[in-house]
Amino acid sequence: MSSLHLLLPLALLPLLAACSGSSGAANAAAGGSKQSALDRQLRSLIAARGLTGDPAAGRELPGIDDPLAQLGKRLFFTKALGGQFDSSCASCHHPNLGGGDDLVLPTGVDAEVPHLLGPGRRQAFGTPGFDGGPTVPRNSPTTFNLGLYDSSMFWDSRVESLGKTPGMNGGDGLGIDTPDSFGFGQADPAAGDNLVMAQARFPVTSRDEMKGYFFEFGSWNDVIRDHLAARMGGYGVGAGEISDSWLPYFRGAYDSLGSAEELITYENISRAIAEYQRSQVFVDNPWFDYVKGADFAISEAAKRGAVLFYSDPAAGGAGCYQCHTGDFFTDEQHYTLAMPQVGRGKGDGHLNGPEDYGRFYETGHPDHKFAFRTPNLLNVAVTGPWNHCGSYTTLEAVIYHHCQPVDAVANYDFNQLPPEVQTTYTLQVTNDALNQLLIYRASGVKTIQDVPVTPQGLADLVEFLHTLTDPCVLDPDCMEPWVQRDHGFDQHLLLAHDQGGEEL
Ligand code: HEC
Ligand code: HEC
């Protein structure tokens, strides 16, 4: 399929079959009852895959009006949790940017203008480690629908539930393994109530995301957290570092008259941040309306795309559901896809820098080299750029890579990246990952298979993925309850100058 030219306008090729070699998946519909034949085929696939259209069913998730979620919103937006006061969670996970930052790769601390977000946010010249490009080696995932994960957090699942009980978000009492655990597979006794709370203990300890180079230099994670909590509470080592008083907010949210030392602990900070994030449930989309019976909720093209998504390659489909499983579109397992590796990398491999071994770095398991967790696909149209390092900036390209990875890497279009993203070693280190993928294929380790794909099939799959967008996430008025406007001493967050500088 190397002759396939993705840059051709898709509209010029309407007559191509959806998937060449298709034994009928998308061609089954024919004649006058065209639509109903397609609907019948899709509805039988929906039944076969056990879909319900209700991924949040049976879960206990807070609303944004929950007092803890309200406190968490304030904490999520304050740069006071950044060691050097210049980076907040929202700097990389803004609700009006799809719960991410709209960047290939993020820059956290030492941004040129700390309150500017999105394309154009960049590291200030001359600050530590400056090379002109982004400082964080992986793409910011969305914070939407985090309460639906049961197994893990992060691209490499380094925060992982030991129980993985369905419906519990890691809160099954069986323990959560984190980077603070004493060994792989060991519970971290301080992890907290669920996966999202366990995760919220780590960004503040990351030098490039929030801590900065000099704040608590060389300190243990708990020393960093305790210092930040003391800062927020105005006591001990943090006394006098900020002028705002957070105690009334903590008293209100935790319904207690306790002192700052008692209430403003990092445990209580991370619980509130987690409840705010867990309130970001955005699952009202046209696809789920269709699954629940509304035949006209999605377009014909989206239906054809869904048939490809839910059909096996042997039946002319693309087999996407094999990993993007169920109503949450993920099996929470790890696979090697050899997506082009851009940016600084995690410092793995012989080049000691621009590689990223992903899950392998956590487990050392021979099947995990360059493997990343299957991301969920809800609202995926608004969470780009895509993959663990953001190296695809269109859905067409990231889907095409799944179908024809060798061709996709060989013809990778560097022009889709902003010029500052580091790419010197991209071909070299991506080929390492690609060779690993081919070894896995040959030895039967589960990974992507070559799937014949046409421009029409790609366009249909893209159309299908667009039906996974909850209209709320496109509407600033609908998202307003999740945005903190009163930042105290913080400045309001703006889109970067490259995008006009309007308020987010
Ligand atoms: C500089 C940008 C940056 C900042 C600031 C930041 N994050 Fe992130 N966040 C990331 C990146 C990059 C990842 C992926 C890292 C990885 O998987 O190795 C991530 C991952 C996550 C995840 C995992 C999501 C998933 O699907 O597994 C959560 C949850 C999260 N961040 C929440 C937060 C919270 C809460 C804060 C503030 C305490 C925060 N982040 C601050 C960039 C940032
Ligand atoms: C073998 C498992 C597997 C199959 C099959 C699979 N995917 Fe993926 N998908 C993944 C993994 C793993 C990633 C993340 C890879 C990375 O970041 O390097 C991913 C990433 C994605 C992304 C980017 C999401 C994001 O948030 O960055 C999209 C979109 C996507 N897949 C769609 C599809 C479609 C459409 C199909 C069918 C053509 C498909 N996938 C088939 C495992 C799979």
Side-chain angles (χ1 to χ4, degrees):
M1 293 305 290
S2 57
S3 63
L4 184 112
H5 205 299
L6 283 176
L7 296 180
L8 274 182
L10 297 172
L12 292 181
L13 298 155
L15 296 177
L16 280 172
C19 225
S20 51
S22 163
S23 63
N27 301 333
S33 59
K34 196 171 181 178
Q35 183 190 333
S36 61
L38 182 55
D39 284 329
R40 272 199 301 280
Q41 182 184 16
L42 184 48
R43 293 215 173 274
S44 82
L45 283 167
I46 287 169
R49 307 301 170 224
L51 306 178
T52 66
D54 198 357
R59 285 170 192 264
E60 277 181 47
L61 295 168
I64 184 59
D65 293 333
D66 180 288
L68 277 175
Q70 285 291 315
L71 171 63
K73 176 166 75 164
R74 276 183 190 280
L75 291 164
F76 195 86
F77 276 80
T78 184
K79 296 190 192 79
L81 282 176
Q84 50 188 38
F85 299 96
D86 67 349
S87 174
S88 69
C89 308
S91 301
C92 303
H93 301 285
H94 198 288
N96 286 341
L97 297 176
D101 57 5
D102 211 8
L103 288 168
V104 170
L105 291 166
T107 290
V109 300
D110 292 329
E112 207 170 55
V113 186
H115 63 282
L116 295 184
L117 269 56
R121 180 184 175 89
R122 55 179 71 89
Q123 190 185 3
F125 181 80
T127 51
F130 179 85
D131 70 358
T135 56
V136 176
R138 290 187 183 155
N139 176 265
S140 303
T142 182
T143 54
F144 297 166
N145 300 315
L146 291 176
L148 307 188
Y149 280 107
D150 287 323
S151 186
S152 68
M153 294 277 101
F154 287 124
W155 286 104
D156 53 14
S157 295
R158 64 187 179 275
V159 166
E160 187 173 13
S161 164
L162 299 174
K164 307 184 179 181
T165 311
M168 299 298 286
N169 196 214
D172 49 20
L174 296 167
I176 296 175
D177 182 3
T178 80
D180 282 358
S181 298
F182 285 112
F184 179 71
Q186 301 295 309
D188 172 354
D193 305 344
N194 53 56
L195 287 166
V196 189
M197 180 170 169
Q199 193 283 337
R201 296 168 56 73
F202 292 92
V204 296
T205 67
S206 157
R207 183 190 72 190
D208 296 319
E209 290 186 7
M210 290 180 79
K211 187 182 80 64
Y213 278 73
F214 306 115
F215 175 76
E216 286 293 352
F217 182 85
S219 297
W220 292 98
N221 284 351
D222 272 333
V223 174
I224 300 166
R225 294 179 189 121
D226 289 346
H227 186 153
L228 291 170
R231 168 191 290 175
M232 302 300 282
Y235 59 81
V237 61
E241 290 186 356
I242 59 173
S243 55
D244 305 20
S245 175
W246 283 79
L247 188 55
Y249 298 123
F250 277 80
R251 284 188 166 158
Y254 281 98
D255 194 18
S256 157
L257 289 176
S259 65
E261 285 88 336
E262 287 162 346
L263 286 178
I264 307 186
T265 60
Y266 202 83
E267 182 186 338
N268 281 350
I269 290 171
S270 58
R271 179 179 293 108
I273 291 178
E275 290 309 277
Y276 164 68
Q277 293 179 97
R278 277 155 42 88
S279 79
Q280 297 183 342
V281 183
F282 301 113
V283 298
D284 281 336
N285 63 46
W287 167 244
F288 290 152
D289 290 341
Y290 182 85
V291 171
K292 290 181 213 157
D295 278 345
F296 299 105
I298 65 173
S299 69
E300 293 286 288
K303 290 175 191 176
R304 290 193 303 266
V307 168
L308 289 174
F309 194 95
Y310 288 107
S311 301
D312 287 308
C320 313
Y321 80 95
Q322 293 171 2
C323 305
H324 298 285
T325 313
D327 293 294
F328 190 40
F329 291 85
T330 172
D331 58 2
E332 298 189 58
Q333 300 295 314
H334 310 86
Y335 304 103
T336 300
L337 267 55
M339 300 265 179
Q341 178 63 46
V342 303
R344 293 188 179 192
K346 288 288 271 188
D348 304 328
H350 61 281
L351 290 168
N352 195 27
E355 290 204 290
D356 187 340
Y357 283 172
R359 183 65 173 158
F360 179 81
Y361 184 69
E362 293 306 304
T363 63
H365 192 288
D367 293 353
H368 285 158
K369 219 154 174 198
F370 305 103
F372 296 93
R373 186 195 62 184
T374 310
N376 87 81
L377 299 179
L378 297 180
N379 304 299
V380 69
V382 302
T383 64
W386 293 274
N387 81 46
H388 71 276
C389 61
S391 57
Y392 283 121
T393 59
T394 64
L395 281 172
E396 283 85 351
V398 73
I399 299 172
Y400 181 70
H401 180 106
H402 279 77
C403 299
Q404 299 287 328
V406 175
D407 188 59
V409 169
N411 293 303
Y412 179 64
D413 177 12
F414 285 87
N415 289 323
Q416 67 194 291
L417 301 171
E420 69 270 18
V421 172
Q422 305 89 336
T423 54
T424 311
Y425 298 100
T426 292
L427 287 179
Q428 199 173 346
V429 299
T430 306
N431 277 318
D432 289 348
L434 199 55
N435 288 334
Q436 188 65 58
L437 185 160
L438 297 175
I439 291 168
Y440 286 156
R441 273 188 184 171
S443 58
V445 176
K446 181 173 169 183
T447 179
I448 41 173
Q449 300 302 324
D450 279 347
V451 174
V453 66
T454 63
Q456 174 82 62
L458 271 184
D460 290 346
L461 281 164
V462 169
E463 195 69 21
F464 170 59
L465 293 186
H466 274 272
T467 69
L468 307 182
T469 303
D470 184 330
C472 185
V473 306
L474 299 171
D475 173 3
D477 289 336
C478 189
M479 295 306 284
E480 191 59 18
W482 283 273
V483 179
Q484 184 65 36
R485 293 287 167 204
D486 161 24
H487 296 261
F489 69 90
D490 290 335
Q491 284 159 295
H492 284 201
L493 298 173
L494 303 176
L495 279 177
H497 287 311
D498 299 15
Q499 302 172 84
E502 74 198 77
E503 185 166 349
L504 271 169

